Amino acid sequence: MIITFLGTGTSQGVPVIACECEVCTSADKHDKRLRTSILVEAEGKVIVIDSGPDFRYQMLRAGVKHLDAVVFTHEHKDHTAGLDDIRAFNYIQQTPMDVYAVPRVQEALKREFSYIFAEYQYPGIPKLNLHTIGLDPFKVGPLKFTPIEVMHYRLPVLGFRIADFTYITDAKTITEKETEKIYGSKTLVVNALQKEAHISHFTLDEAIAFAQKIGAETTYFTHISHRLGKYADVSRELPENIKLAYDGLKLEL
């Protein structure tokens, strides 16, 4: 399985518009972060988890020529706003895109992209097949996804475990029942927004504590704000088996 980090930034991305902090003005490519998303390639399938506002550029930058499915964690715009651009794959592949989401997220997609679901189908609009998911494991082709429910303040968000890889974004709290699904993962990805307390995201210290509780061989932090600090500086503060993810990072698992 190959995991590509298409984006590792928070909702505003990094740099933030008009910000002149040391992170936003950094020349280090590791400090340039598009909105959070990953590409999963395994067993002949190519899947994106979340299609945020940068989806089009992420597909171009990563050289993605074929896409089988989009799996959504939740309905916030930094995770869904790029859905319209699946139409390029519709045209090339001559098939609707498989989209996996819980009912609440499906309703949000229908509101935000009403033209996709309208009775009159305007020529060239995106075509998709909606698949309803919940907390039970589901398959995308041969790949088994195990949903993990985390809380983003008061909003339920799904993380996913695929074999020994677990991906979680936008988490602030996780019940022990859901945490049980994560134990045994060899590679963990989890959000680490900033060092200061935040109402709906893990801080750096909270993310480190969670990573150590899970005990994965390697943990990568994502959904990173410019407030966390520069990649080079924060990397020096982390335990040996915990790393900051960055855009373009590839993991061969």
Side-chain angles (χ1 to χ4, degrees):
M1 178 163 56
I2 299 174
I3 304 295
T4 304
F5 288 83
L6 300 171
T8 56
T10 189
S11 58
Q12 296 184 84
V14 183
V16 174
I17 293 172
C19 182
E20 296 183 355
C21 76
E22 66 172 5
V23 177
C24 289
T25 56
S26 169
D28 186 347
K29 67 178 183 179
H30 298 93
D31 291 321
K32 312 298 183 186
R33 302 181 183 278
L34 301 179
R35 268 60 73 97
T36 298
S37 176
I38 60 169
L39 186 75
V40 180
E41 299 174 84
E43 298 191 42
K45 290 293 182 180
V46 182
I47 301 156
V48 162
I49 298 182
D50 290 334
S51 60
D54 303 311
F55 177 72
R56 172 185 170 275
Y57 179 59
Q58 289 169 338
M59 295 294 95
L60 291 170
R61 184 172 67 175
V64 180
K65 304 298 185 184
H66 179 89
L67 187 66
D68 293 294
V70 179
V71 179
F72 283 114
T73 60
H74 66 297
E75 64 267 42
H76 284 168
K77 275 297 191 69
D78 56 319
H79 295 261
T80 64
L83 181 63
D84 182 85
D85 285 315
I86 64 167
R87 56 198 170 104
F89 292 111
N90 292 153
Y91 178 77
I92 292 169
Q93 297 167 195
Q94 290 295 296
T95 185
M97 181 65 61
D98 287 319
V99 173
Y100 295 78
V102 300
R104 188 193 72 248
V105 174
Q106 291 184 25
E107 290 306 310
L109 296 178
K110 290 174 182 178
R111 290 193 304 270
E112 298 296 331
F113 301 95
S114 58
Y115 57 92
I116 295 178
F117 304 94
E119 182 177 352
Y120 171 67
Q121 295 287 289
Y122 189 85
I125 64 171
K127 302 290 185 181
L128 52 85
N129 291 324
L130 275 180
H131 300 269
T132 301
I133 60 175
L135 294 181
D136 293 327
F138 63 94
K139 284 192 171 184
V140 181
L143 288 179
K144 178 184 175 183
F145 281 65
T146 299
I148 301 158
E149 186 178 72
V150 306
M151 294 304 295
H152 182 36
Y153 186 40
R154 297 179 179 176
L155 180 71
V157 170
L158 292 185
F160 300 101
R161 179 168 179 170
I162 312 166
D164 293 328
F165 170 78
T166 296
Y167 179 76
I168 297 171
T169 181
D170 293 78
K172 180 61 178 181
T173 56
I174 308 176
T175 66
E176 191 57 36
K177 179 181 178 181
E178 293 300 298
T179 303
E180 288 287 340
K181 300 176 182 178
I182 308 170
Y183 290 126
S185 299
K186 292 182 179 178
T187 305
L188 171 67
V189 178
V190 68
N191 58 298
L193 185 74
Q194 60 190 36
K195 293 182 178 179
E196 299 81 8
H198 194 275
I199 194 171
S200 59
H201 284 279
F202 279 155
T203 64
L204 180 63
D205 285 345
E206 289 169 342
I208 290 172
F210 182 74
Q212 291 174 332
K213 176 180 179 179
I214 297 302
E217 292 177 6
T218 311
T219 295
Y220 294 89
F221 290 159
T222 191
H223 212 291
I224 293 166
S225 164
H226 64 150
R227 292 190 180 95
L228 184 64
K230 295 171 69 174
Y231 173 88
D233 295 338
V234 178
S235 293
R236 286 191 289 268
E237 302 173 16
L238 297 176
E240 186 175 354
N241 66 330
I242 300 177
K243 307 175 187 298
L244 292 186
Y246 55 87
D247 288 22
L249 173 63
K250 282 185 181 286
L251 307 178
E252 296 190 16
L253 308 176

